[in-house]
Amino acid sequence: MRKKEGWCPAMAGLIGVLFPVIFSPDLFNPLSRSSPSLFSEWNAPQPKHWRLLLPALHSQPAFKRHLELWSPLPDQGWKPCQHPPSLPYKSQGYLQVFLDGGLNQQRMGICDAVAVAKILNATLVIPHLEINPVWQDSSSFEQLFDVDHFITSLGGDISVVTEPPSEYAWSTREYYGTGIRETRIKTAPVHASSDWYLENVLPVLQRYGIAAISPFSHRLAFDNMPKSIQRLRCKVNFDALVFVPHIRALGDTLVNRLRDPGNLARQSTGNYAVLHLRFDKDMAAHSACDFGGGRAEKLALAKYRQVIWQGRVMKTQFSNEELRNQGRCPLTPEEIGLLLIALGFSNNTRLYLASHKVYGGEARISALRKLFPRMEDKRSLATSEERGKVEGKASLLAAVDYHVSVHSDIFISASPGNMHNAMLGHRAYKNMKTLRPNMALLGQLFLNKSLEWPEFQSAVVAAHKNRLGQFRVRKEKQSIYTYPIPDCMCRT
């Protein structure tokens, strides 16, 4: 089509953003890890914040702000505590746990299982990971984590075995799934105390020699625990849980290529950031927010909510504006891109995309790609042969993303969730930068349709001065895996 006379360069830039959204031949490009939806709900989503997007496309960060952004965090006066081992004298029996959820939820469950085994003076059987109901992933502990390292690291604290001895061979997941069993504990309350385990699980161990707890996720309190138990949980999370060698090797390959894209054979000190773009269909449906897809999208998300959760998650009574003002809506790819540009990230930033699926596919992500053309992910950085051992396995793919994320210069999560919480804690433990978006403020800014780019940028910078990894002391009932101070870390 011939360009009409009188069109300004800004309008041409806008067309450059919109045309790939509507006419891109790569609508389902592998980078988005998307697929046509179960419900045909959307026409290609278009950018919603044109007033901000056009100046952001041409924005150049101030040198000082850019330098400060990529500078490492200074010493904040805390370091990981030492955990002296104290192996019990005699085991009371074998403890089994069955963990559901995704990778990060299972990590927390494993840490809690070790702590409960210590409380009970029991021998821990390597935890059983349930099939993930969302991603249909059946990856086992042994496929994800280095079992030998796990057992060796905890050898001075508890006894760990890969399976129960032969006299307890009957104690399997199938056995507990076919009837009521006296050795299975189904009543463990969420955030149970150590006394609860001593009163309810220890007698089962002593009588039968084995006890199985299912379900187990979030079944140990964060408060009123002995310091030794807290530090043991930290030791498991930050030291004992190491991914299997082939996951670490693939992760290292991606890290090296992000740091030095011009020379894949050697390491480099080039900077890169990881963006965990938590914008899958489950997230969108669960939030009940409006993401600009029109009536068809709203109806489809409502239908999805009903089919998947069968009425257990209902549409909120709050309006979209109220939800956004409260910071309860996940940021879209376009919105997270605008946030990063406002904070001083340049369009030359090496940005690694860590996520499973993007709701809306390439159409939804095209504005972010325009802002960050050097955005990469597993498929763009590694060959199909290199990805062979993890392809099609959601937990293993998530483990690769975890490895790349924990080694990045900056980690950004578009919305709170298990990955956000895990990275916030792990990177605090290592004193590394993690951007925590101010969801409430951003929701209000994006609702203001008259806001110009300079005012938006100024408000974003002011609101995120202390949200780049500055230590936060854990409050009551908060997770030690998200806020490791003061349970896991000591004053220098």
Side-chain angles (χ1 to χ4, degrees):
M1 179 185 297
R2 187 165 56 89
K3 178 180 173 183
K4 293 183 180 181
E5 294 182 3
W7 280 23
C8 65
M11 184 59 71
L14 177 60
I15 294 296
V17 173
L18 295 183
F19 260 58
V21 171
I22 303 172
F23 301 110
S24 172
D26 300 319
L27 185 60
F28 298 109
N29 186 287
L31 180 59
S32 68
R33 288 181 300 287
S34 61
S35 59
S37 173
L38 179 64
F39 310 101
S40 297
E41 67 262 37
W42 49 269
N43 298 317
Q46 300 181 8
K48 291 184 64 178
H49 308 289
W50 298 346
R51 184 187 299 271
L52 301 175
L53 186 57
L54 287 176
L57 286 168
H58 301 95
S59 176
Q60 293 296 325
F63 176 77
K64 182 179 179 181
R65 182 182 301 161
H66 187 73
L67 186 64
E68 291 175 349
L69 182 66
W70 290 103
S71 298
L73 282 171
D75 184 354
Q76 299 185 69
W78 293 86
K79 66 177 181 180
C81 296
Q82 297 300 313
H83 174 74
S86 56
L87 187 66
Y89 177 67
K90 183 180 180 182
S91 173
Q92 297 290 317
Y94 294 89
L95 177 68
Q96 292 178 297
V97 296
F98 300 91
L99 303 174
D100 54 11
L103 171 68
N104 294 297
Q105 189 172 334
Q106 289 171 340
R107 281 183 68 103
M108 292 184 282
I110 293 166
C111 300
D112 287 348
V114 171
V116 170
K118 183 69 172 181
I119 291 168
L120 297 173
N121 198 9
T123 297
L124 178 67
V125 180
I126 289 292
H128 174 88
L129 308 186
E130 302 277 25
I131 296 176
N132 189 296
V134 176
W135 310 123
Q136 293 298 308
D137 189 285
S138 59
S139 300
S140 66
F141 186 104
E142 293 83 354
Q143 292 172 313
L144 276 165
F145 302 107
D146 188 326
V147 174
D148 291 338
H149 178 83
F150 183 77
I151 294 175
T152 301
S153 297
L154 299 175
D157 298 287
I158 65 167
S159 297
V160 183
V161 295
T162 56
E163 58 185 23
S166 57
E167 60 263 38
Y168 300 112
W170 47 266
S171 186
T172 63
R173 185 67 185 87
E174 293 71 26
Y175 172 74
Y176 293 112
T178 56
I180 298 174
R181 311 296 184 186
E182 292 183 333
T183 52
R184 178 186 176 185
I185 292 90
K186 297 177 64 177
T187 57
V190 173
H191 298 157
S193 67
S194 56
D195 287 342
W196 187 92
Y197 285 97
L198 292 170
E199 294 168 4
N200 295 274
V201 182
L202 184 58
V204 178
L205 280 174
Q206 293 172 332
R207 180 176 180 182
Y208 297 101
I210 194 166
I213 309 177
S214 176
F216 185 73
S217 296
H218 308 296
R219 290 313 196 269
L220 185 62
F222 290 117
D223 298 303
N224 300 317
M225 287 284 162
K227 184 180 292 186
S228 60
I229 294 297
Q230 297 290 69
R231 291 188 177 172
L232 178 58
R233 295 164 95 176
C234 304
K235 179 178 181 178
V236 182
N237 190 40
F238 301 124
D239 297 319
L241 278 178
V242 172
F243 294 122
V244 293
H246 74 83
I247 290 178
R248 301 200 308 270
L250 177 57
D252 287 339
T253 295
L254 301 183
V255 169
N256 290 338
R257 291 175 185 175
L258 285 163
R259 293 206 180 283
D260 190 358
N263 188 339
L264 308 186
R266 62 178 175 83
Q267 291 187 345
S268 174
T269 57
N271 299 121
Y272 77 94
V274 169
L275 169 60
H276 182 239
L277 190 57
R278 191 170 181 236
F279 199 78
D280 54 46
K281 189 166 186 175
D282 294 274
M283 182 70 163
H286 201 283
S287 71
C289 299
D290 179 10
F291 299 106
R295 176 176 170 80
E297 181 178 271
K298 291 180 183 178
L299 292 174
L301 290 178
K303 176 67 174 177
Y304 184 87
R305 192 181 302 120
Q306 179 62 34
V307 170
I308 299 300
W309 293 295
Q310 300 177 355
R312 294 190 299 273
V313 177
M314 303 301 294
K315 180 173 175 58
T316 178
Q317 297 304 308
F318 292 107
S319 68
N320 180 67
E321 288 73 19
E322 289 171 326
L323 290 171
R324 291 193 176 276
N325 275 317
Q326 296 168 17
R328 294 169 61 181
C329 294
L331 297 175
T332 66
E334 176 191 4
E335 289 168 346
I336 196 72
L338 291 170
L339 165 66
L340 298 183
I341 293 293
L343 286 174
F345 288 87
S346 74
N347 60 6
N348 287 323
T349 298
R350 297 287 290 180
L351 191 64
Y352 179 85
L353 188 62
S355 60
H356 186 70
K357 289 185 178 180
V358 176
Y359 178 58
E362 185 64 20
R364 184 84 71 183
I365 208 173
S366 63
L368 176 63
R369 193 193 303 283
K370 283 288 183 181
L371 291 168
F372 294 98
R374 301 183 73 190
M375 188 166 62
E376 307 280 3
D377 79 343
K378 293 178 289 293
R379 287 174 173 80
S380 64
L381 286 172
T383 66
S384 57
E385 290 77 16
E386 290 172 322
R387 303 191 311 268
K389 290 184 179 181
V390 301
E391 200 68 85
K393 301 172 183 176
S395 292
L396 272 63
L397 291 167
V400 174
D401 282 342
Y402 192 104
H403 183 94
V404 177
S405 298
V406 85
H407 287 86
S408 64
D409 298 282
I410 306 174
F411 176 82
I412 311 110
S413 179
S415 301
N418 287 330
M419 179 68 164
H420 167 93
N421 293 338
M423 278 297 120
L424 199 64
H426 206 142
R427 292 174 64 83
Y429 192 76
K430 299 178 68 173
N431 196 38
M432 300 179 73
K433 282 191 172 179
T434 304
L435 171 62
R436 296 183 299 111
N438 187 326
M439 302 293 290
L441 174 93
L442 290 168
Q444 295 162 22
L445 293 178
F446 287 126
L447 283 172
N448 187 346
K449 300 304 180 184
S450 64
L451 195 66
E452 299 291 346
W453 176 254
E455 292 77 21
F456 173 82
Q457 185 174 37
S458 177
V460 165
V461 170
H464 290 84
K465 283 185 177 179
N466 294 313
R467 302 180 72 92
L468 277 168
Q470 288 79 5
F471 284 164
R472 300 171 69 192
V473 176
R474 185 178 73 87
K475 298 177 182 178
E476 187 178 4
K477 296 184 179 180
Q478 287 184 326
S479 169
I480 63 171
Y481 308 124
T482 306
Y483 303 104
I485 296 172
D487 304 88
C488 307
M489 306 184 74
C490 300
R491 286 283 189 184
T492 54

